[in-house]
Amino acid sequence: MRWSWTAVQLDAGGEVRMLYSKDLVTYEPGSTHTLRFNTGVVGPDLAAGSPEEQGAERTGEFISARIPLFNDGSGNLGSSIVTSGFARLESGGRVLGEGPATDWLSTEVPAASAPYRLTAEASRSAGDTFTSTKVTGVWTFTSARPTTDRTKRLPLSTVRFAPRLSLRGTAPAGSTLTVPLKLSGAAAVAGQVATLKVNVSYDGGRTWKPLTVTTNPQGARSVTVKHPATAKAVSFRVDLKDRGGNTVRETIMNAYRLAP
């Protein structure tokens, strides 16, 4: 038997504010499993869900993109009510298309090869959550009209932060935490990462400090975060460039909170 899961967060009036889903999974008889939904760090993750639910693609002279910004730290596809946000596709300094951050953006583009910049940004209400209150992703890539009529996936990448946090999305202040980095998309292929930089902020993004990205013998990447005893929250900014020259910058404000 295969199981699929959906977890929702409701407000006091019973309205759905967040929704997370897990693909079909099979469990061995007699085994025990724990599933975690809506835990940090919530952010972009191209490995969550299916290609029909998110990503960027080109068919002929149209580019379509939808990058959910609130997939949870366990890698489950997520959606959230937002207070503000947008998705925007630009090229050569011109805005080609713009729409809500939560919907597919489909835009007609020139046939010739050109550089593109895709931005997705959204903020959430403090009444709904105190983590990942604002998430921004900026992707750059080059695209030309495909030589066939088949749909072509565009070379976007994401980095998911996957620390072990409490169910409330907190870590102890004054402690040290290892934060695994889970790459997906074009840069997840072995040998495709050109540069990967991570910065941390403890003051809401006013100042940023670089973190050292380490890679173990199995190829798993992580950063180590030393929490100040007086800090209240941790924000992340990550910059990735792949061997093809495609880039992404993700900024996650209040990625998780620090508890006394």
Side-chain angles (χ1 to χ4, degrees):
M1 178 180 292
R2 295 188 298 169
W3 295 79
S4 62
W5 299 87
T6 300
V8 297
Q9 177 176 316
L10 310 177
D11 64 12
E15 179 184 356
V16 175
R17 305 298 293 179
M18 302 174 202
L19 185 148
Y20 295 91
S21 59
K22 185 176 182 63
D23 290 339
L24 289 169
V25 60
T26 300
Y27 301 109
E28 292 296 325
S31 61
T32 301
H33 303 267
T34 300
L35 303 182
R36 295 167 66 92
F37 294 96
N38 198 12
T39 56
V41 170
V42 171
D45 181 9
L46 286 171
S50 67
E52 290 75 25
E53 295 170 298
Q54 67 164 317
E57 58 190 27
R58 178 162 182 163
T59 305
E61 295 177 7
F62 283 87
I63 287 179
S64 298
R66 178 177 180 264
I67 313 295
L69 299 176
F70 300 107
N71 303 309
D72 71 18
S74 297
N76 299 307
L77 183 69
S79 62
S80 181
I81 298 296
V82 301
T83 56
S84 63
F86 65 90
R88 179 186 300 136
L89 184 66
E90 304 170 81
S91 182
R94 296 189 302 119
V95 176
L96 303 179
E98 190 168 11
T102 54
D103 294 340
W104 280 93
L105 176 67
S106 185
T107 306
E108 187 174 6
V109 298
S113 178
Y116 292 92
R117 175 187 174 97
L118 174 66
T119 304
E121 178 178 298
S123 298
R124 304 197 287 180
S125 167
D128 290 331
T129 181
F130 53 73
T131 62
S132 294
T133 51
K134 182 179 181 181
V135 178
T136 305
V138 181
W139 294 264
T140 66
F141 57 92
T142 299
S143 177
R145 191 187 197 282
T147 56
T148 68
D149 292 333
R150 297 182 63 183
T151 297
K152 181 179 180 181
R153 298 288 289 183
L154 296 174
L156 273 58
S157 300
T158 55
V159 180
R160 174 165 61 90
F161 296 87
R164 190 69 174 181
L165 302 171
S166 75
L167 289 177
R168 290 182 54 82
T170 63
S175 66
T176 298
L177 181 67
T178 297
V179 181
L181 306 175
K182 306 292 187 179
L183 276 60
S184 57
V189 178
Q192 286 303 301
V193 174
T195 59
L196 178 60
K197 300 177 182 179
V198 179
N199 286 268
V200 65
S201 176
Y202 304 108
D203 57 10
R206 290 188 293 273
T207 60
W208 296 90
K209 297 179 180 180
L211 298 173
T212 300
V213 178
T214 60
T215 306
N216 69 14
Q218 291 73 41
R221 298 176 176 88
S222 64
V223 293
T224 298
V225 185
K226 297 181 179 179
H227 305 133
T230 58
K232 302 298 184 184
V234 175
S235 300
F236 287 118
R237 186 177 68 200
V238 57
D239 290 279
L240 183 151
K241 182 178 182 180
D242 69 18
R243 296 292 181 185
N246 310 296
T247 70
V248 58
R249 166 173 280 194
E250 297 174 16
T251 306
I252 303 177
M253 303 307 300
N254 300 312
Y256 58 89
R257 297 284 180 168
L258 298 176

